[in-house]
Amino acid sequence: MESPMKIILLGASGVGKSQILNRLNGNEYSATLASTIGVEFLGKTFVVQDAKIKVQIWDTAGQERFASMMSTYYRRSHGVVLVHDVSQPSTFLAMEKWRLKLQDHVDSEDCKMIILANKIDLLDTDYDMQKTNKYASEHGAIGTFATSAMTNCNIEVAFQNLVTAIAKKEKKKKTKENPTMDQEKQQSDLSDPSDPSDPSDMQPRSGVVLTLINSKTYRSAKNRRSRGCC
């Protein structure tokens, strides 16, 4: 892509969007990190099939009073990350409001979406992903991820998979617009799973669902014991 890929984070205030951005920036978790006022963004480079892709990840304020000014930043988005806090059921319901606002400005077919069930570190009991998975399948999300910014669980892999999916879509679009492209390049697959050196083939840890939504429960820290995730 000639211009940076644009991904936006959407969700209610306090679901952990700023902490997620902070983790992507390579920083440690900070319990005192302030909520976003207005918009912040991070520039980050991802690698997909040996190609470096520049990405701008926009963190938008979740407060209702900022909703009108946010509309400007929805436009020309290639991907969206909807976030809810698993310890606050109301934030799951709030995702629909943000998804509908996005729809007013972006064609859903042109914008890939993933959903993060965030703050799983707060749970003492198992988290049932079924509701998140159902919402994802109903609204065309390409995957769901159980995440924790505090423990850095599945943050990087979630975005890597989203960037890879967008890159594949953009390549297919470019091929359609330019049918004289080299045939060998047309047939190449950006996310070839047979290439073990490809960072885009990062495997998600427990509680992650990609495209085929088939995992039902995320095991709590109490029940995972020493499995090494989150």
Side-chain angles (χ1 to χ4, degrees):
M1 298 176 67
E2 289 77 11
S3 57
M5 183 184 291
K6 182 179 180 182
I7 293 174
I8 58 175
L9 284 158
L10 293 178
S13 179
V15 295
K17 300 187 301 296
S18 296
Q19 295 285 8
I20 288 168
L21 198 71
N22 191 48
R23 276 296 194 182
L24 284 171
N25 199 27
N27 297 323
E28 293 298 317
Y29 176 82
S30 171
T32 59
L33 192 67
S35 295
T36 301
I37 299 176
V39 172
E40 296 177 355
F41 84 90
L42 167 68
K44 185 174 175 68
T45 300
F46 289 81
V47 178
V48 178
Q49 199 72 11
D50 296 326
K52 291 183 178 180
I53 299 177
K54 293 180 180 179
V55 181
Q56 288 183 350
I57 304 168
W58 294 78
D59 173 19
T60 57
Q63 296 95 327
E64 183 62 40
R65 68 181 185 274
F66 293 115
S68 59
M69 68 175 284
M70 293 302 102
S71 62
T72 304
Y73 298 95
Y74 297 159
R75 299 187 184 112
R76 294 184 293 279
S77 295
H78 300 95
V80 59
V81 181
L82 277 178
V83 187
H84 71 98
D85 176 349
V86 297
S87 69
Q88 299 291 332
S90 62
T91 65
F92 180 88
L93 299 175
M95 285 196 303
E96 180 66 1
K97 176 188 73 174
W98 294 102
R99 189 189 69 81
L100 291 174
K101 287 181 183 296
L102 177 72
Q103 263 191 344
D104 290 339
H105 304 283
V106 176
D107 186 339
S108 57
E109 291 187 3
D110 290 334
C111 188
K112 296 289 186 181
M113 178 172 69
I114 61 172
I115 299 175
L116 306 188
N118 196 37
K119 298 193 181 182
I120 53 172
D121 54 279
L122 298 179
L123 300 180
D124 290 325
T125 58
D126 293 347
Y127 176 67
D128 187 353
M129 291 285 289
Q130 188 171 357
K131 185 167 69 169
T132 304
N133 295 343
K134 183 174 184 292
Y135 184 86
S137 64
E138 288 174 346
H139 298 293
I142 62 171
T144 63
F145 298 79
T147 58
S148 168
M150 182 177 184
T151 61
N152 205 18
C153 179
N154 291 329
I155 301 295
E156 188 81 25
V157 73
F159 281 83
Q160 181 69 60
N161 277 277
L162 178 58
V163 169
T164 299
I166 296 169
K168 288 177 67 176
K169 175 183 71 70
E170 291 297 317
K171 182 177 182 179
K172 191 177 293 185
K173 182 179 177 182
K174 190 174 181 181
T175 301
K176 275 187 177 181
E177 294 172 350
N178 185 8
T180 61
M181 284 177 65
D182 179 33
Q183 293 298 314
E184 185 177 336
K185 288 185 179 180
Q186 288 185 42
Q187 294 169 3
S188 66
D189 187 348
L190 277 168
S191 59
D192 182 2
S194 64
D195 181 4
S197 64
D198 184 3
S200 66
D201 193 33
M202 296 168 64
Q203 293 301 309
R205 291 178 275 174
S206 301
V208 177
V209 185
L210 291 175
T211 308
L212 296 177
I213 297 173
N214 51 26
S215 178
K216 301 300 182 186
T217 304
Y218 182 83
R219 298 180 68 203
S220 69
K222 180 179 180 181
N223 293 330
R224 284 195 311 274
R225 297 178 183 174
S226 58
R227 289 174 64 91
C229 177
C230 315

